[in-house]
Amino acid sequence: MSQPRRLRVALAGNPNAGKSTVFNALTGSHQHVGNWPGKTVEKKEGSFRYRDLWVDIIDLPGTYSLSAYSPEERIAQEFITQEHPDVVVNVVDASNLERNLYLTAQLLEIGVPLIIVLNMTDVAEQLGYKIDVARFSQLLGVPVIPAVASKGEGMEVLREYLYQAAQDPSQFAPPHALVQYEHEMERSVRQLTEALQGLSDLQGYQPRWLAVKLIEGDTQAHDIVAHAPGGDEVLALLDKIMDKLRRTYGEDVDIVLADARYGFVRGLTRQVLTLPKQPPRTLSDRIDQIVTNRWLGIPLFLFLMYLMFNLVQRVSAPYMDWIDSLFSGPVPQWTLAALHALHAPDWLSSLVVDGAIAGVGSVLVFVPSLMVMFFALAFMEDSGYLARAAFVMDKMMGFLGLNGRAFIPMILGFGCNVPAVYATRTIENRGARILTGLLIPFMSCSARLPVYVVFGMAFFGAKAGLVVWSLYLIGIATAAIAGWALARWVFPEVHQSVFVLELPRYRLPTWQGLWLHTWEHTSEFVRKAGTVILGISVLLWFLLNLPWGVTDPRESYFGRVSGALAPVFEPAGFGTWQAAGALVSGFVAKEVVISTMSQIYVGEQEARMGESATPLNWREDARAIVAGFLEATRDAGKAFLDVLTPGVSLFPHDEGAQRETALSRALHNAFTPLSAFAFLVYVLLYTPCAATIAAQAQEYGWRWAGFSVLLGLTTAWVLAVAVFQIGRLLGWG
Amino acid sequence: MAMTKQVPLSNLAPGQKGTIIAIRSRGPLRRRLLDMGMVRGETVYVERVAPLGDPVEYSVKGAHLSLRRRDAANIIVEVPSQEDEDHD
């Protein structure tokens, strides 16, 4: 058998041109999502087989241009010029031809073998556009394929062209120097091109393209020439040329270049595109009149947020309970039984069950809400609504130094900070993305609510609701102040940053696109953040069980660490090792704050299930698991309907209210109402959980995750101390 | 001279249009505007204003863009000053 042939294809195009749809249509589920090395930009790779040919596709980030201004553009440009894909497939939105062809003009300048997919021809047709595809292809000297990728139209033709390309990619190389510049500019480009042709090491760049980039002031191009032997002379020539160009064009050299490309595009579209005399009013325009309407825009946005928040919270809740029941019942039981049968020592059983399995459970429990969130977000993004939401909310977020795209992640933070951190991916500007990610932990997530409820019931009686409400407000106010300060001192470039947003035409997302998006991002969470959470969970087990043979938690390293930390919280009024211990475990997950407190204060030890006398029964357990899943699905369905019928309460009041009476009594001995409130302020503001840190590290790098932890710890401490001390001065203590 | 005047794009109201004659901003914004089709000679339509008064939606080359007023102020457009007279 001979080795199958392979073809390497890069997919390039504007955002919203339907690049991902083409990618999905070609590769189906044979795809993989990762990050570009050292970047937070998503990298999608996939492959498919066509006859005896394997085609590997790299989906480049969507860009409007190939300058090196944004990380996305830099990646796209570097990949095309340095990684030498055999062919570039340029996806072009037929309903927005002129703007899309600006990127095409640059791809033609680079001179790589090119195939153009003229996507969304159905939309163009509705708009009354007539495109002469044959003439188009003839003028550019490369194939142009009309397509509707969402319906799979044109994909077979594309596969056939790719198959042809594998014989000899150079047949699809565009003719030389299609894009011509204005007289003096063109002369300069040629002069510089000739000089560059004399250099040996251009790292794969075409001399003419590199010459244009040098004139454009591209620092990357400058570096490449500076490192090439003999490059200094070329740079000296560049200086001379630039002097001359500036005398002619002033500071508008880049505009002259852009003008020439648009001039080329205009010349092209004039020959291939016929516009209708009167552009029809599209459905998209009509939807926009409602969605971004002066009076309806904001209420509609808030309603959709309410819907999304509730879907993420409530539809996923039954499944979360189901996963939780698996990991507190059958899974550890069966594992224990298996370990017992293998005569494993007790400490090992405990490490596996209490450390590793508990850790895996705490990762998987996030999966349902993440899937719902990714699905809802993909729907809003793919349909075009997300851009409108940013348009509507931009001004409000501007006060925090953020832009409109930050609003949705912030709202999601009230449900769970973990999906909220992932949702910041929709923010283009990296600084703004990180800043939003740093503020999300101040949004009080639902896992903190049980802590408020237990303390509220124990200390504030009828005013408990008010206390809980005030905590949410304190979180929002803290985020506003922190955002304002960080935008000025840590991210000054974000404060100044521009917010140019494209409002793409509305369209119906494809199921395949939504599902792939949901699945890939969720599995990425399990792989990446999951490892970190599991690690922390195992670490906590060691802290609780070392030194060897410890029985009293106070004597464990965990107890000693908590004891050592306690004095730190003295000025905030809760400087006991028990309170500190609850906070330490709350660092892993807020869900465990109350259970840790019950264990320490009340001494209520949960019975170890595996050692119970009931014999294990495979059938029973399997049936219970399936029944549990079906029940969860029924409850999720009910919740879904519930969410769609407004008038439901936002606050779950049932949680943990009645049964914690023993704990309430114990808490009264350890806290005063004032120190209890200071404690709650601390719980609200410090690091939400290990999963959030892991998500931040995955999205922004460890440095920013660490910064976020420090920010949380100091803000929480300062405010808790302020609450306690000021309260005491006012005589509330 | 023809009846035209030059004003910042941010001065235009929804329903109005103008022809770009200069882009005064520098750096990333300028590059971004060029990439998105805001070039000299192009006609820009003002589509609508966001509910809170900012940003503003424009259309150029058939594509819809949202710009903050602060940024749109750096784009100078030419509009007919009194009568609808064309000028070359």
Side-chain angles (χ1 to χ4, degrees):
Chain A
M1 285 292 282
S2 66
Q3 194 72 2
R5 293 176 306 141
R6 297 196 90 97
L7 184 77
R8 247 159 48 101
V9 177
L11 210 55
N14 281 193
N16 307 310
K19 216 160 46 66
S20 301
T21 320
V22 171
F23 182 77
N24 292 337
L26 288 178
T27 61
S29 53
H30 290 277
Q31 46 174 282
H32 167 80
V33 179
N35 277 1
W36 292 88
K39 303 268 168 53
T40 47
V41 180
E42 200 172 277
K43 180 184 191 178
K44 288 209 288 186
E45 292 171 281
S47 56
F48 70 90
R49 199 194 158 107
Y50 188 68
R51 298 191 211 154
D52 60 332
L53 177 73
W54 269 105
V55 181
D56 299 311
I57 307 187
I58 293 94
D59 190 12
L60 298 175
T63 59
Y64 297 104
S65 163
L66 287 178
S67 25
Y69 251 101
S70 67
E72 287 82 4
E73 292 179 2
R74 187 177 284 260
I75 287 167
Q77 188 194 318
E78 272 179 22
F79 189 87
I80 293 170
T81 52
Q82 295 178 23
E83 303 278 320
H84 304 291
D86 298 315
V87 186
V88 173
V89 171
N90 177 204
V91 181
V92 168
D93 176 359
S95 66
N96 191 355
L97 201 54
E98 244 188 283
R99 223 277 315 288
N100 274 251
L101 287 176
Y102 184 68
L103 177 70
T104 310
Q106 295 178 58
L107 290 168
L108 291 166
E109 281 185 278
I110 294 181
V112 280
L114 195 65
I115 295 175
I116 292 172
V117 172
L118 197 58
N119 195 21
M120 300 196 252
T121 47
D122 53 343
V123 181
E125 220 163 276
Q126 282 164 24
L127 291 168
Y129 293 4
K130 285 200 180 60
I131 301 171
D132 185 345
V133 178
R135 180 120 182 85
F136 200 164
S137 174
Q138 190 196 348
L139 285 169
L140 295 183
V142 300
V144 176
I145 305 167
V148 184
S150 58
K151 294 178 190 143
E153 285 170 32
M155 293 300 105
E156 196 52 35
V157 184
L158 174 58
R159 286 191 196 99
E160 190 55 48
Y161 269 110
L162 289 172
Y163 190 77
Q164 271 184 43
Q167 326 282 338
D168 172 25
S170 67
Q171 62 182 309
F172 297 139
H176 188 63
L178 269 180
V179 181
Q180 295 276 322
Y181 294 97
E182 216 175 80
H183 187 65
E184 161 129 28
M185 184 64 84
E186 180 64 30
R187 218 175 42 207
S188 307
V189 170
R190 285 192 189 165
Q191 204 183 345
L192 208 51
T193 308
E194 267 167 45
L196 285 166
Q197 273 158 351
L199 298 186
S200 55
D201 185 20
L202 295 181
Q203 299 182 23
Y205 278 82
Q206 291 279 340
R208 185 179 163 94
W209 169 247
L210 199 54
V212 172
K213 289 278 114 180
L214 284 174
I215 291 172
E216 218 168 48
D218 186 313
T219 51
Q220 205 184 347
H222 198 275
D223 288 347
I224 286 167
V225 177
H227 285 116
D232 294 347
E233 284 163 44
V234 178
L235 291 181
L237 175 66
L238 174 68
D239 283 343
K240 259 194 274 170
I241 288 175
M242 288 311 287
D243 277 347
K244 222 166 62 188
L245 288 175
R246 280 203 196 96
R247 252 175 279 136
T248 318
Y249 303 116
E251 287 303 307
D252 291 344
V253 172
D254 52 348
I255 290 187
V256 173
L257 290 169
D259 275 349
R261 287 187 195 123
Y262 278 116
F264 165 77
V265 169
R266 223 172 282 144
L268 188 67
T269 47
R270 202 172 294 144
Q271 297 187 62
V272 302
L273 175 69
T274 325
L275 295 171
K277 291 220 165 52
Q278 186 68 46
R281 278 178 55 75
T282 58
L283 180 63
S284 189
D285 291 333
R286 265 171 295 190
I287 295 175
D288 251 354
Q289 283 207 309
I290 300 167
V291 166
T292 57
N293 178 280
R294 185 126 218 183
W295 307 112
L296 292 176
I298 290 178
L300 194 68
F301 171 76
L302 292 177
F303 174 72
L304 287 172
M305 280 304 97
Y306 163 83
L307 211 66
M308 176 167 172
F309 181 78
N310 273 279
L311 284 179
V312 171
Q313 283 296 106
R314 298 183 45 194
V315 174
S316 60
Y319 291 108
M320 292 174 86
D321 290 344
W322 175 71
I323 291 176
D324 198 46
S325 72
L326 282 187
F327 280 87
S328 57
V331 175
Q333 274 173 27
W334 284 98
T335 313
L336 273 180
L339 287 167
H340 211 72
L342 294 168
H343 302 290
D346 278 353
W347 68 264
L348 184 64
S349 300
S350 168
L351 171 61
V352 170
V353 171
D354 301 332
I357 291 183
V360 171
S362 67
V363 173
L364 293 183
V365 83
F366 285 107
V367 166
S369 63
L370 278 173
M371 287 184 86
V372 180
M373 191 279 299
F374 281 131
F375 190 88
L377 214 55
F379 189 89
M380 290 207 286
E381 172 119 58
D382 290 359
S383 65
Y385 181 72
L386 205 59
R388 270 73 182 187
F391 175 70
V392 167
M393 294 311 293
D394 183 57
K395 184 156 191 188
M396 202 179 272
M397 298 312 283
F399 291 119
L400 301 186
L402 297 171
N403 69 46
R405 288 209 182 251
F407 196 82
I408 287 172
M410 299 292 256
I411 287 286
L412 283 171
F414 287 117
C416 175
N417 286 184
V418 177
V421 166
Y422 287 110
T424 60
R425 281 186 195 173
T426 55
I427 303 168
E428 267 180 75
N429 179 292
R430 181 172 154 79
R433 189 159 59 212
I434 295 174
L435 176 55
T436 311
L438 292 174
L439 300 181
I440 283 170
F442 296 130
M443 302 291 113
S444 184
C445 69
S446 59
R448 285 169 239 188
L449 190 57
V451 186
Y452 307 158
V453 171
V454 168
F455 275 79
M457 292 296 176
F459 291 97
F460 305 103
K463 290 201 182 106
L466 191 68
V467 167
V468 173
W469 191 235
S470 74
L471 285 163
Y472 277 84
L473 290 183
I474 291 171
I476 295 169
T478 309
I481 295 165
W484 183 86
L486 289 171
R488 263 150 199 83
W489 295 312
V490 184
F491 298 97
E493 77 285 357
V494 171
H495 191 57
Q496 299 299 322
S497 81
V498 297
F499 186 57
V500 183
L501 179 77
E502 187 182 2
L503 302 168
R505 235 175 233 103
Y506 288 99
R507 54 173 171 253
L508 206 59
T510 63
W511 281 107
Q512 189 194 29
L514 294 178
W515 167 247
L516 285 171
H517 184 100
T518 306
W519 173 248
E520 278 154 11
H521 290 96
T522 310
S523 58
E524 193 188 6
F525 160 79
V526 173
R527 272 200 320 274
K528 290 197 179 161
T531 325
V532 177
I533 303 168
L534 182 60
I536 292 180
S537 171
V538 171
L539 179 74
L540 195 68
W541 181 89
F542 277 109
L543 285 176
L544 267 165
N545 288 279
L546 290 177
W548 204 240
V550 68
T551 46
D552 182 0
R554 173 132 211 206
E555 297 305 314
S556 69
Y557 284 148
F558 177 78
R560 293 189 207 172
V561 168
S562 309
L565 285 176
V568 174
F569 300 111
E570 199 63 61
F574 48 89
T576 61
W577 81 268
Q578 294 96 325
L583 292 176
V584 170
S585 65
F587 194 85
V588 179
K590 290 285 162 295
E591 286 89 343
V592 298
V593 170
I594 291 301
S595 64
T596 308
M597 289 193 131
S598 332
Q599 278 183 29
I600 300 175
Y601 283 119
V602 189
E604 157 191 278
Q605 292 292 331
E606 282 175 48
R608 167 60 55 70
M609 299 181 165
E611 276 138 31
S612 63
T614 39
L616 292 168
N617 183 333
W618 264 117
R619 270 166 170 235
E620 273 305 303
D621 277 358
R623 194 177 307 150
I625 290 169
V626 173
F629 183 80
L630 293 177
E631 200 178 323
T633 307
R634 200 194 62 206
D635 290 349
K638 268 206 292 204
F640 182 75
L641 293 177
D642 251 16
V643 169
L644 297 179
T645 48
V648 286
S649 81
L650 261 167
F651 271 65
H653 345 252
D654 48 334
E655 230 166 316
Q658 293 90 16
R659 59 192 159 87
E660 240 90 38
T661 44
L663 178 59
S664 304
R665 266 192 309 262
L667 288 178
H668 269 286
N669 296 327
F671 289 88
T672 65
L674 181 61
S675 71
F677 189 69
F679 183 80
L680 290 183
V681 168
Y682 195 88
V683 168
L684 162 72
L685 298 173
Y686 86 113
T687 314
C689 63
T692 301
I693 305 173
Q696 286 173 326
Q698 186 188 334
E699 294 299 297
Y700 322 122
W702 278 107
R703 216 165 57 95
W704 286 112
F707 181 83
S708 176
V709 171
L710 280 180
L711 180 70
L713 291 177
T714 45
T715 313
W717 189 83
V718 168
L719 276 165
V721 169
V723 163
F724 186 69
Q725 296 299 340
I726 293 171
R728 248 194 350 188
L729 283 177
L730 296 174
W732 293 342
Chain B
M1 280 304 283
M3 302 294 194
T4 61
K5 58 178 179 181
Q6 301 181 352
V7 293
L9 180 58
S10 51
N11 284 14
L12 269 52
Q16 286 187 295
K17 63 178 180 180
T19 306
I20 300 177
I21 56 166
I23 293 177
R24 281 224 223 97
S25 47
R26 296 263 163 261
L29 173 62
R30 173 197 183 104
R31 185 64 60 99
R32 197 72 203 273
L33 292 173
L34 293 180
D35 291 348
M36 306 273 271
M38 291 266 185
V39 280
R40 275 185 305 211
E42 212 50 66
T43 306
V44 186
Y45 298 83
V46 186
E47 296 286 338
R48 56 175 67 80
V49 177
L52 297 172
D54 199 20
V56 179
E57 180 182 343
Y58 300 97
S59 70
V60 63
K61 287 183 188 289
H64 291 234
L65 304 179
S66 147
L67 285 183
R68 287 178 177 166
R69 282 180 189 280
R70 191 181 69 189
D71 298 330
N74 286 314
I75 300 172
I76 308 301
V77 294
E78 196 168 62
V79 291
S81 62
Q82 279 127 21
E83 293 132 65
D84 244 338
E85 265 197 37
D86 262 4
H87 154 73
D88 253 323

